[in-house]
mmCIF file of all heavy atoms in Angstrom:
data_model
loop_
_atom_site.group_PDB
_atom_site.id
_atom_site.type_symbol
_atom_site.label_atom_id
_atom_site.label_comp_id
_atom_site.label_asym_id
_atom_site.label_seq_id
_atom_site.Cartn_x
_atom_site.Cartn_y
_atom_site.Cartn_z
ATOM 1 N N ARG A 256 74.900 92.355 118.826
ATOM 2 C CA ARG A 256 75.043 92.413 120.280
ATOM 3 C C ARG A 256 76.421 92.934 120.685
ATOM 4 O O ARG A 256 77.448 92.501 120.159
ATOM 5 C CB ARG A 256 74.842 91.028 120.890
ATOM 6 C CG ARG A 256 74.753 91.037 122.402
ATOM 7 C CD ARG A 256 74.764 89.650 122.969
ATOM 8 N NE ARG A 256 76.076 89.012 122.807
ATOM 9 C CZ ARG A 256 76.415 87.842 123.335
ATOM 10 N NH1 ARG A 256 75.522 87.165 124.014
ATOM 11 N NH2 ARG A 256 77.613 87.339 123.168
ATOM 12 N N GLY A 257 76.431 93.859 121.635
ATOM 13 C CA GLY A 257 77.697 94.397 122.125
ATOM 14 C C GLY A 257 78.233 95.530 121.285
ATOM 15 O O GLY A 257 79.275 96.112 121.600
ATOM 16 N N THR A 258 77.525 95.868 120.181
ATOM 17 C CA THR A 258 77.969 96.964 119.314
ATOM 18 C C THR A 258 77.250 98.237 119.706
ATOM 19 O O THR A 258 76.058 98.243 120.014
ATOM 20 C CB THR A 258 77.681 96.634 117.837
ATOM 21 O OG1 THR A 258 78.317 95.399 117.510
ATOM 22 C CG2 THR A 258 78.212 97.712 116.915
ATOM 23 N N ASP A 259 77.980 99.349 119.666
ATOM 24 C CA ASP A 259 77.399 100.644 119.993
ATOM 25 C C ASP A 259 76.246 100.959 119.031
ATOM 26 O O ASP A 259 76.325 100.709 117.829
ATOM 27 C CB ASP A 259 78.482 101.725 119.890
ATOM 28 C CG ASP A 259 77.927 103.094 120.188
ATOM 29 O OD1 ASP A 259 77.730 103.400 121.378
ATOM 30 O OD2 ASP A 259 77.695 103.849 119.230
ATOM 31 N N GLU A 260 75.153 101.522 119.566
ATOM 32 C CA GLU A 260 73.981 101.813 118.750
ATOM 33 C C GLU A 260 74.308 102.756 117.607
ATOM 34 O O GLU A 260 73.785 102.631 116.498
ATOM 35 C CB GLU A 260 72.879 102.423 119.631
ATOM 36 C CG GLU A 260 71.562 102.627 118.896
ATOM 37 C CD GLU A 260 70.463 103.087 119.832
ATOM 38 O OE1 GLU A 260 70.609 102.935 121.061
ATOM 39 O OE2 GLU A 260 69.440 103.599 119.329
ATOM 40 N N ASN A 261 75.211 103.697 117.844
ATOM 41 C CA ASN A 261 75.603 104.635 116.781
ATOM 42 C C ASN A 261 76.347 103.924 115.656
ATOM 43 O O ASN A 261 76.229 104.306 114.486
ATOM 44 C CB ASN A 261 76.464 105.760 117.353
ATOM 45 C CG ASN A 261 75.664 106.693 118.242
ATOM 46 O OD1 ASN A 261 74.480 106.932 117.987
ATOM 47 N ND2 ASN A 261 76.291 107.220 119.282
ATOM 48 N N ALA A 262 77.127 102.878 116.008
ATOM 49 C CA ALA A 262 77.835 102.117 114.982
ATOM 50 C C ALA A 262 76.850 101.389 114.078
ATOM 51 O O ALA A 262 77.045 101.303 112.866
ATOM 52 C CB ALA A 262 78.792 101.119 115.632
ATOM 53 N N VAL A 263 75.771 100.870 114.672
ATOM 54 C CA VAL A 263 74.742 100.210 113.877
ATOM 55 C C VAL A 263 74.047 101.222 112.975
ATOM 56 O O VAL A 263 73.776 100.943 111.800
ATOM 57 C CB VAL A 263 73.720 99.506 114.790
ATOM 58 C CG1 VAL A 263 72.566 98.927 113.971
ATOM 59 C CG2 VAL A 263 74.397 98.392 115.588
ATOM 60 N N LYS A 264 73.781 102.409 113.496
ATOM 61 C CA LYS A 264 73.137 103.450 112.684
ATOM 62 C C LYS A 264 74.009 103.843 111.500
ATOM 63 O O LYS A 264 73.495 104.128 110.408
ATOM 64 C CB LYS A 264 72.836 104.683 113.556
ATOM 65 C CG LYS A 264 71.700 104.479 114.542
ATOM 66 C CD LYS A 264 71.447 105.737 115.360
ATOM 67 C CE LYS A 264 70.297 105.530 116.330
ATOM 68 N NZ LYS A 264 70.060 106.732 117.180
ATOM 69 N N ARG A 265 75.328 103.846 111.695
ATOM 70 C CA ARG A 265 76.219 104.196 110.587
ATOM 71 C C ARG A 265 76.139 103.147 109.474
ATOM 72 O O ARG A 265 76.243 103.476 108.289
ATOM 73 C CB ARG A 265 77.661 104.339 111.083
ATOM 74 C CG ARG A 265 77.914 105.625 111.873
ATOM 75 C CD ARG A 265 79.396 105.888 112.067
ATOM 76 N NE ARG A 265 80.022 104.908 112.928
ATOM 77 C CZ ARG A 265 80.096 105.032 114.258
ATOM 78 N NH1 ARG A 265 79.547 106.084 114.866
ATOM 79 N NH2 ARG A 265 80.695 104.111 114.985
ATOM 80 N N ILE A 266 75.951 101.888 109.841
ATOM 81 C CA ILE A 266 75.807 100.832 108.835
ATOM 82 C C ILE A 266 74.561 101.078 107.993
ATOM 83 O O ILE A 266 74.562 100.846 106.780
ATOM 84 C CB ILE A 266 75.740 99.448 109.516
ATOM 85 C CG1 ILE A 266 77.083 99.102 110.146
ATOM 86 C CG2 ILE A 266 75.331 98.358 108.523
ATOM 87 C CD1 ILE A 266 77.071 97.845 110.988
ATOM 88 N N LEU A 267 73.494 101.585 108.613
ATOM 89 C CA LEU A 267 72.238 101.825 107.895
ATOM 90 C C LEU A 267 72.391 102.857 106.789
ATOM 91 O O LEU A 267 71.644 102.833 105.804
ATOM 92 C CB LEU A 267 71.152 102.276 108.876
ATOM 93 C CG LEU A 267 70.743 101.268 109.956
ATOM 94 C CD1 LEU A 267 69.718 101.886 110.891
ATOM 95 C CD2 LEU A 267 70.189 100.005 109.335
ATOM 96 N N ASP A 268 73.368 103.748 106.908
ATOM 97 C CA ASP A 268 73.569 104.795 105.906
ATOM 98 C C ASP A 268 74.438 104.342 104.730
ATOM 99 O O ASP A 268 74.565 105.058 103.741
ATOM 100 C CB ASP A 268 74.232 106.023 106.554
ATOM 101 C CG ASP A 268 73.305 106.713 107.553
ATOM 102 O OD1 ASP A 268 72.075 106.629 107.365
ATOM 103 O OD2 ASP A 268 73.816 107.320 108.514
ATOM 104 N N VAL A 269 75.007 103.154 104.827
ATOM 105 C CA VAL A 269 75.967 102.684 103.821
ATOM 106 C C VAL A 269 75.248 102.200 102.560
ATOM 107 O O VAL A 269 74.214 101.537 102.629
ATOM 108 C CB VAL A 269 76.829 101.543 104.404
ATOM 109 C CG1 VAL A 269 77.675 100.879 103.310
ATOM 110 C CG2 VAL A 269 77.734 102.079 105.506
ATOM 111 N N PHE A 270 75.829 102.538 101.391
ATOM 112 C CA PHE A 270 75.420 101.952 100.125
ATOM 113 C C PHE A 270 76.332 100.742 99.899
ATOM 114 O O PHE A 270 77.561 100.902 99.860
ATOM 115 C CB PHE A 270 75.570 102.953 98.983
ATOM 116 C CG PHE A 270 74.558 104.070 99.022
ATOM 117 C CD1 PHE A 270 74.723 105.149 99.872
ATOM 118 C CD2 PHE A 270 73.428 104.020 98.213
ATOM 119 C CE1 PHE A 270 73.792 106.181 99.915
ATOM 120 C CE2 PHE A 270 72.488 105.042 98.248
ATOM 121 C CZ PHE A 270 72.664 106.122 99.108
ATOM 122 N N PRO A 271 75.769 99.534 99.769
ATOM 123 C CA PRO A 271 76.615 98.332 99.711
ATOM 124 C C PRO A 271 77.639 98.369 98.588
ATOM 125 O O PRO A 271 77.338 98.738 97.454
ATOM 126 C CB PRO A 271 75.596 97.206 99.481
ATOM 127 C CG PRO A 271 74.314 97.748 99.964
ATOM 128 C CD PRO A 271 74.343 99.212 99.684
ATOM 129 N N LYS A 272 78.855 97.983 98.928
ATOM 130 C CA LYS A 272 79.947 97.847 97.974
ATOM 131 C C LYS A 272 80.596 96.487 98.222
ATOM 132 O O LYS A 272 80.307 95.831 99.230
ATOM 133 C CB LYS A 272 80.958 98.982 98.164
ATOM 134 C CG LYS A 272 80.405 100.365 97.826
ATOM 135 C CD LYS A 272 81.447 101.444 98.076
ATOM 136 C CE LYS A 272 80.909 102.815 97.641
ATOM 137 N NZ LYS A 272 79.707 103.201 98.383
ATOM 138 N N PRO A 273 81.493 96.042 97.323
ATOM 139 C CA PRO A 273 82.073 94.703 97.498
ATOM 140 C C PRO A 273 82.669 94.457 98.879
ATOM 141 O O PRO A 273 82.558 93.364 99.412
ATOM 142 C CB PRO A 273 83.138 94.642 96.394
ATOM 143 C CG PRO A 273 82.597 95.531 95.320
ATOM 144 C CD PRO A 273 81.907 96.657 96.045
ATOM 145 N N TYR A 274 83.302 95.475 99.460
ATOM 146 C CA TYR A 274 83.978 95.251 100.740
ATOM 147 C C TYR A 274 83.413 96.137 101.849
ATOM 148 O O TYR A 274 84.046 96.311 102.881
ATOM 149 C CB TYR A 274 85.484 95.487 100.583
ATOM 150 C CG TYR A 274 86.098 94.586 99.541
ATOM 151 C CD1 TYR A 274 86.438 95.061 98.289
ATOM 152 C CD2 TYR A 274 86.284 93.236 99.810
ATOM 153 C CE1 TYR A 274 86.981 94.215 97.322
ATOM 154 C CE2 TYR A 274 86.817 92.382 98.864
ATOM 155 C CZ TYR A 274 87.169 92.882 97.620
ATOM 156 O OH TYR A 274 87.685 92.038 96.672
ATOM 157 N N ARG A 275 82.233 96.681 101.641
ATOM 158 C CA ARG A 275 81.616 97.515 102.663
ATOM 159 C C ARG A 275 80.112 97.450 102.520
ATOM 160 O O ARG A 275 79.611 97.750 101.430
ATOM 161 C CB ARG A 275 82.104 98.958 102.523
ATOM 162 C CG ARG A 275 81.620 99.869 103.661
ATOM 163 C CD ARG A 275 82.341 101.207 103.602
ATOM 164 N NE ARG A 275 81.913 102.041 104.705
ATOM 165 C CZ ARG A 275 81.204 103.173 104.572
ATOM 166 N NH1 ARG A 275 80.872 103.596 103.380
ATOM 167 N NH2 ARG A 275 80.858 103.877 105.619
ATOM 168 N N PRO A 276 79.386 97.062 103.549
ATOM 169 C CA PRO A 276 79.862 96.529 104.831
ATOM 170 C C PRO A 276 80.644 95.224 104.642
ATOM 171 O O PRO A 276 80.699 94.694 103.535
ATOM 172 C CB PRO A 276 78.556 96.258 105.597
ATOM 173 C CG PRO A 276 77.506 97.069 104.894
ATOM 174 C CD PRO A 276 77.917 97.080 103.471
ATOM 175 N N SER A 277 81.202 94.725 105.731
ATOM 176 C CA SER A 277 81.968 93.484 105.663
ATOM 177 C C SER A 277 81.040 92.318 105.323
ATOM 178 O O SER A 277 79.815 92.429 105.398
ATOM 179 C CB SER A 277 82.668 93.213 106.994
ATOM 180 O OG SER A 277 81.716 92.865 107.993
ATOM 181 N N GLY A 278 81.648 91.167 104.963
ATOM 182 C CA GLY A 278 80.843 89.991 104.634
ATOM 183 C C GLY A 278 79.941 89.570 105.775
ATOM 184 O O GLY A 278 78.763 89.238 105.569
ATOM 185 N N GLY A 279 80.477 89.588 106.995
ATOM 186 C CA GLY A 279 79.676 89.211 108.154
ATOM 187 C C GLY A 279 78.542 90.187 108.408
ATOM 188 O O GLY A 279 77.432 89.788 108.797
ATOM 189 N N GLU A 280 78.775 91.488 108.187
ATOM 190 C CA GLU A 280 77.724 92.490 108.381
ATOM 191 C C GLU A 280 76.634 92.345 107.318
ATOM 192 O O GLU A 280 75.442 92.442 107.619
ATOM 193 C CB GLU A 280 78.335 93.887 108.340
ATOM 194 C CG GLU A 280 79.148 94.224 109.572
ATOM 195 C CD GLU A 280 79.890 95.544 109.457
ATOM 196 O OE1 GLU A 280 80.216 95.952 108.315
ATOM 197 O OE2 GLU A 280 80.159 96.159 110.507
#
């Protein structure tokens, strides 16, 4: 909530790594 839709879409493209996305994400 409150996050730009494009920012959420960028998370979808990420391959998980130890520090990316963040722990909360």
Side-chain angles (χ1 to χ4, degrees):
R256 189 189 70 173
T258 303
D259 179 78
E260 186 174 343
N261 290 326
V263 175
K264 288 181 179 178
R265 286 193 293 271
I266 292 173
L267 297 177
D268 293 331
V269 171
F270 289 80
K272 294 178 176 61
Y274 301 104
R275 186 170 182 247
S277 70
E280 287 173 333

